[in-house]
Each structure stands twice: as structure tokens, then as C-alpha cells.
Amino acid sequence: VVIGEAKGEDQSKDVFEILLDLIRIGHLSKQSIDNNLYDAVVGIHVVGLHATVYLTCLLDYGLYTMLEICSITMPRDIYNTRSYVSGC
């Protein structure tokens, strides 16, 4: 299961909204684990061209962890895409 929140580049300076989205991802992940008896849930937080992937899991009764798995900065245009792909 994947839960995601996205904000445009124009909202990247609004720290309150960005943190609220991150809290929302954690809360929805916890609810999904509790209601559906999942072991873990993947969360994706996108702000502009920057995406961060999180894994929320239930370690023990009432103990949840939300780990940052990776961060990806996506290319802005086709010219950056070529250098992005060649660098992989």
C-alpha cells in the first residue's frame, strides 16, 4: 500500500504545509496498518521536483517507526533528463 502527498514548487517555501503533509502521511500510514493488519506501508512525499519515500511499520504493539528510505530529485527539463539518465 502506498500513501502520498504532493505539493507544487510554488508551495515549497511553506514549511507548515509541508510538515502537515508529512504528519498526514504518518497518520494515514498508521491507520492503514491498524485497520488492514499490514506489516508496513510506503509513503511518498513530493514537494516540487523533490520526492522522498518513507516506510512506516509496526514494530510492537503501539510502537510505529517511519523511516526515510530514499530521496530523489527529478530533472527539470529534457536537457536535465539526458544527464540524469546517463548518470544512473
Side-chain angles (χ1 to χ4, degrees):
V1 173
V2 178
I3 296 172
E5 288 286 335
K7 292 282 188 227
E9 183 110 13
D10 58 332
Q11 297 176 336
S12 64
K13 302 291 184 211
D14 191 355
V15 177
F16 178 76
E17 286 294 324
I18 292 171
L19 291 176
L20 191 61
D21 284 346
L22 189 58
I23 291 169
R24 191 176 297 126
I25 290 171
H27 179 71
L28 291 174
S29 297
K30 180 203 174 294
Q31 281 185 331
S32 185
I33 289 170
D34 290 344
N35 294 339
N36 301 310
L37 303 176
Y38 294 136
D39 291 328
V41 174
V42 174
I44 300 175
H45 189 218
V46 180
V47 180
L49 297 173
H50 186 77
T52 307
V53 180
Y54 296 94
L55 180 69
T56 304
C57 55
L58 176 63
L59 293 181
D60 200 4
Y61 181 77
L63 180 61
Y64 300 85
T65 59
M66 186 171 175
L67 303 171
E68 181 179 331
I69 302 300
C70 67
S71 289
I72 303 167
T73 301
M74 294 170 268
R76 182 171 295 281
D77 57 20
I78 190 69
Y79 301 108
N80 291 343
T81 303
R82 290 179 184 164
S83 64
Y84 182 79
V85 171
S86 67
C88 293

